[in-house]
């Protein structure tokens, strides 16, 4: 079965500093997509960043960037210049099948940004 | 453009009761999904649909049923509610295909308690 693993249940970072959240996945697919979602206390699922597996270049979105290591099946999220509003649960997810879009989620990492 | 809407936001059911969670999207997306999120955990796929009239099981389908008679609507039916179905339920949709990277848009969730 395909799996997504986030090995850091909780992390904290000082405001304005940089933090990296880890994620590893296991898939037998050749074409797949990877995502990081943010879930604040409101519980709304908010897309942070996405990566297409066929693209070698790491995705970036403003203060958010990923380190995508396809051979190692690793997909970490780096948050630069952390802000108080970044405090949330972060989920890594992978499409289980390339033509249905079904997502397999990790267990989540709770990130607290401290003032 | 409302995106993905879910009703109700909250519901308390007694053991053995039934109910339908409603999900509607106005983005003309072909693909729709139902996930459940247990406390402190990631989301797990219950059912999904790749188009009107087509549905399939996800990781945790037992105790649930779905239908997809229109592109816009994807209701989730709980028959004979059990305490194990206490969870937050999310509906999501995506256009599908390589251009969209199967990026999913989530509804606000329904918090269901079965007592």
């Amino acid at each position: 079965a395909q799996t997504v693993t986030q090995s850091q249940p909780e992390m904290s970072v000082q405001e304005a500093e940089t933090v990296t959240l880890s994620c590893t996945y296991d898939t037998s697919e050749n074409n797949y997509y990877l995502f990081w979602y943010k879930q604040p206390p409101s519980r709304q699922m908010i897309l942070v960043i996405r990566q297409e597996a066929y693209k070698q270049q790491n995705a970036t979105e403003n203060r958010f960037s990923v380190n995508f290591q396809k051979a190692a099946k690793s997909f970490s999220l780096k948050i630069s210049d952390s802000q108080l509003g970044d405090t949330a649960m972060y989920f890594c997810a992978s499409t289980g099948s390339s033509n249905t879009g079904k997502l397999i989620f990790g267990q989540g990492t709770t990130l607290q940004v401290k003032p | 453009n409302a995106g993905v809407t879910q009703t109700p936001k909250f519901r308390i059911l007694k053991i053995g009761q039934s109910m339908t969670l409603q999900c509607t999207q106005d983005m003309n997306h072909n693909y729709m999904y139902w996930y459940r999120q247990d406390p402190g955990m990631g989301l797990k796929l219950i059912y999904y649909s790749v188009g009107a009239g087509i549905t399939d099981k996800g990781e945790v389908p037992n105790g649930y049923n779905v239908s997809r008679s229109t592109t816009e609507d994807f209701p989730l039916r709980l028959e004979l509610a059990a305490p194990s179905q206490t969870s937050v339920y999310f509906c999501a949709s995506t256009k599908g295909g390589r251009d969209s990277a199967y990026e999913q848009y989530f509804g606000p969730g329904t918090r269901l308690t079965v007592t």
Side-chain angles (χ1 to χ4, degrees):
Chain A
Q2 293 168 326
T3 58
V4 176
T5 302
Q6 295 178 248
S7 58
Q8 305 151 315
E10 296 179 355
M11 293 192 73
S12 64
V13 63
Q14 292 296 131
E15 195 175 7
E17 292 188 346
T18 296
V19 63
T20 298
L21 308 184
S22 301
C23 173
T24 58
Y25 61 93
D26 186 18
T27 180
S28 56
E29 298 283 334
N30 289 323
N31 296 318
Y32 54 92
Y33 304 91
L34 299 163
F35 305 89
W36 278 97
Y37 281 91
K38 170 185 177 181
Q39 187 178 45
S42 67
R43 79 169 181 245
Q44 179 69 45
M45 295 292 287
I46 302 166
L47 179 68
V48 175
I49 199 166
R50 76 184 199 198
Q51 175 79 44
E52 292 87 336
Y54 62 85
K55 291 185 177 179
Q56 292 186 338
Q57 188 172 5
N58 289 326
T60 62
E61 285 288 341
N62 300 314
R63 297 183 295 108
F64 300 89
S65 61
V66 298
N67 183 4
F68 173 47
Q69 301 289 329
K70 190 172 183 179
K73 295 183 179 175
S74 171
F75 183 60
S76 61
L77 174 69
K78 185 170 82 171
I79 305 174
S80 303
D81 186 25
S82 297
Q83 300 176 358
L84 296 178
D86 295 334
T87 293
M89 189 88 151
Y90 287 81
F91 291 99
C92 178
S94 170
T95 52
S97 170
S98 61
N99 61 355
T100 65
K102 300 184 295 182
L103 287 177
I104 298 169
F105 284 84
Q107 307 93 315
T109 297
T110 300
L111 176 67
Q112 183 175 14
V113 179
K114 298 180 178 179
Chain B
N1 193 338
V4 180
T5 57
Q6 292 183 237
T7 57
K9 286 186 169 53
F10 304 93
R11 183 74 186 268
I12 298 174
L13 279 182
K14 294 189 183 303
I15 294 172
Q17 288 185 323
S18 300
M19 75 166 294
T20 299
L21 281 65
Q22 301 292 345
C23 175
T24 301
Q25 53 90 9
D26 62 359
M27 298 173 281
N28 200 31
H29 285 170
N30 287 324
Y31 298 75
M32 296 187 74
Y33 311 85
W34 275 106
Y35 297 91
R36 60 175 285 173
Q37 183 181 26
D38 297 333
M41 304 294 288
L43 282 67
K44 292 188 176 181
L45 183 67
I46 304 172
Y47 269 96
Y48 69 100
S49 170
V50 299
I54 306 169
T55 62
D56 205 349
K57 297 178 180 178
E59 293 176 80
V60 289
N62 291 343
Y64 306 94
N65 276 302
V66 294
S67 60
R68 185 97 182 271
S69 57
T70 67
T71 298
E72 296 77 21
D73 300 307
F74 190 40
L76 177 71
R77 178 82 177 161
L78 278 72
E79 304 282 2
L80 299 175
S84 61
Q85 293 178 304
T86 293
S87 191
V88 178
Y89 292 83
F90 288 96
C91 180
S93 72
T94 182
K95 178 181 175 183
R98 189 161 168 156
D99 288 346
S100 77
Y102 292 90
E103 178 179 323
Q104 293 187 19
Y105 296 79
F106 283 81
T110 294
R111 181 179 293 278
L112 175 68
T113 302
V114 182
T115 61

